[in-house]
Short mmCIF file of all heavy atoms in Angstrom, two decimals:
data_model
loop_
_atom_site.label_atom_id
_atom_site.label_comp_id
_atom_site.label_asym_id
_atom_site.label_seq_id
_atom_site.Cartn_x
_atom_site.Cartn_y
_atom_site.Cartn_z
N VAL A 80 -75.16 260.73 110.43
CA VAL A 80 -74.24 261.73 110.88
C VAL A 80 -74.95 262.84 111.65
O VAL A 80 -75.96 263.34 111.17
CB VAL A 80 -73.39 262.27 109.69
CG1 VAL A 80 -74.23 262.83 108.55
CG2 VAL A 80 -72.39 263.33 110.17
N GLU A 81 -74.43 263.18 112.78
CA GLU A 81 -74.97 264.23 113.60
C GLU A 81 -73.98 265.36 113.71
O GLU A 81 -72.83 265.19 113.92
CB GLU A 81 -75.30 263.74 115.02
CG GLU A 81 -75.91 264.79 115.94
CD GLU A 81 -76.21 264.33 117.34
OE1 GLU A 81 -76.06 263.18 117.53
OE2 GLU A 81 -76.64 265.11 118.13
N ASP A 82 -74.53 266.62 113.55
CA ASP A 82 -73.76 267.79 113.75
C ASP A 82 -73.74 268.16 115.22
O ASP A 82 -74.81 268.26 115.81
CB ASP A 82 -74.33 268.96 112.93
CG ASP A 82 -73.37 270.15 112.85
OD1 ASP A 82 -72.72 270.48 113.81
OD2 ASP A 82 -73.26 270.78 111.79
N THR A 83 -72.56 268.26 115.88
CA THR A 83 -72.51 268.40 117.27
C THR A 83 -71.98 269.72 117.77
O THR A 83 -71.83 269.95 118.94
CB THR A 83 -71.59 267.33 117.92
OG1 THR A 83 -70.29 267.35 117.42
CG2 THR A 83 -72.17 265.94 117.62
N ARG A 84 -71.81 270.62 116.89
CA ARG A 84 -71.33 271.99 117.27
C ARG A 84 -72.10 273.13 116.54
O ARG A 84 -72.55 272.87 115.32
CB ARG A 84 -69.85 272.14 116.95
CG ARG A 84 -68.89 271.37 117.80
CD ARG A 84 -67.46 271.45 117.38
NE ARG A 84 -66.96 272.85 117.54
CZ ARG A 84 -66.36 273.24 118.51
NH1 ARG A 84 -66.10 272.43 119.62
NH2 ARG A 84 -65.82 274.49 118.65
N ASN A 85 -72.35 274.16 117.25
CA ASN A 85 -73.10 275.21 116.63
C ASN A 85 -72.01 276.26 116.07
O ASN A 85 -71.57 277.16 116.68
CB ASN A 85 -73.90 275.99 117.74
CG ASN A 85 -74.82 277.07 117.17
OD1 ASN A 85 -74.99 277.15 115.99
ND2 ASN A 85 -75.24 278.00 117.99
N ASP A 86 -71.63 276.00 114.78
CA ASP A 86 -70.67 276.90 114.08
C ASP A 86 -70.96 276.95 112.66
O ASP A 86 -71.99 276.44 112.15
CB ASP A 86 -69.25 276.35 114.39
CG ASP A 86 -69.09 274.83 114.00
OD1 ASP A 86 -69.80 274.41 113.18
OD2 ASP A 86 -68.16 274.23 114.54
N LYS A 87 -70.06 277.47 111.83
CA LYS A 87 -70.31 277.65 110.43
C LYS A 87 -69.95 276.47 109.66
O LYS A 87 -70.17 276.46 108.46
CB LYS A 87 -69.51 278.92 109.90
CG LYS A 87 -68.03 278.70 110.04
CD LYS A 87 -67.31 280.00 109.49
CE LYS A 87 -65.81 279.80 109.61
NZ LYS A 87 -65.13 281.00 109.10
N LEU A 88 -69.35 275.46 110.27
CA LEU A 88 -69.00 274.21 109.71
C LEU A 88 -70.14 273.15 109.64
O LEU A 88 -71.10 273.36 110.43
CB LEU A 88 -67.79 273.59 110.33
CG LEU A 88 -66.61 274.55 110.61
CD1 LEU A 88 -65.47 273.86 111.34
CD2 LEU A 88 -66.13 275.14 109.26
N HIS A 89 -70.04 272.21 108.85
CA HIS A 89 -71.12 271.11 108.91
C HIS A 89 -70.49 269.76 108.93
O HIS A 89 -69.36 269.58 108.49
CB HIS A 89 -72.09 271.25 107.67
CG HIS A 89 -71.46 270.92 106.44
ND1 HIS A 89 -70.92 271.85 105.50
CD2 HIS A 89 -71.36 269.68 105.77
CE1 HIS A 89 -70.48 271.22 104.43
NE2 HIS A 89 -70.76 269.91 104.62
N ALA A 90 -71.18 268.89 109.56
CA ALA A 90 -70.72 267.48 109.70
C ALA A 90 -71.08 266.59 108.46
O ALA A 90 -72.00 266.94 107.72
CB ALA A 90 -71.47 266.84 110.93
N ALA A 91 -70.23 265.61 108.24
CA ALA A 91 -70.41 264.75 107.06
C ALA A 91 -69.94 263.33 107.43
O ALA A 91 -69.11 263.18 108.39
CB ALA A 91 -69.68 265.21 105.84
N VAL A 92 -70.46 262.35 106.75
CA VAL A 92 -69.93 260.97 106.84
C VAL A 92 -69.43 260.59 105.48
O VAL A 92 -70.11 260.76 104.46
CB VAL A 92 -71.01 260.01 107.40
CG1 VAL A 92 -72.21 260.00 106.58
CG2 VAL A 92 -70.39 258.60 107.43
N GLU A 93 -68.29 259.96 105.45
CA GLU A 93 -67.71 259.39 104.22
C GLU A 93 -67.62 257.89 104.37
O GLU A 93 -67.20 257.36 105.42
CB GLU A 93 -66.28 259.98 103.93
CG GLU A 93 -66.26 261.44 103.85
CD GLU A 93 -64.80 261.99 103.73
OE1 GLU A 93 -63.87 261.25 103.81
OE2 GLU A 93 -64.68 263.22 103.46
N TYR A 94 -68.01 257.17 103.38
CA TYR A 94 -68.07 255.73 103.51
C TYR A 94 -67.94 254.92 102.21
O TYR A 94 -68.17 255.45 101.17
CB TYR A 94 -69.28 255.26 104.26
CG TYR A 94 -70.63 255.54 103.59
CD1 TYR A 94 -71.31 254.54 102.98
CD2 TYR A 94 -71.19 256.78 103.66
CE1 TYR A 94 -72.59 254.81 102.35
CE2 TYR A 94 -72.43 257.05 103.10
CZ TYR A 94 -73.02 256.05 102.39
OH TYR A 94 -74.31 256.39 101.85
N HIS A 95 -67.50 253.67 102.37
CA HIS A 95 -67.45 252.69 101.26
C HIS A 95 -68.30 251.51 101.66
O HIS A 95 -68.44 251.23 102.80
CB HIS A 95 -65.99 252.24 101.03
CG HIS A 95 -65.02 253.28 100.64
ND1 HIS A 95 -64.81 253.61 99.30
CD2 HIS A 95 -64.22 254.11 101.35
CE1 HIS A 95 -63.87 254.59 99.27
NE2 HIS A 95 -63.47 254.85 100.42
#
Side-chain angles (χ1 to χ4, degrees):
V80 53
E81 179 179 358
D82 193 318
T83 60
R84 288 174 66 92
N85 186 17
D86 54 26
K87 62 181 180 179
L88 309 178
H89 70 265
V92 56
E93 303 176 351
Y94 61 102
H95 298 271

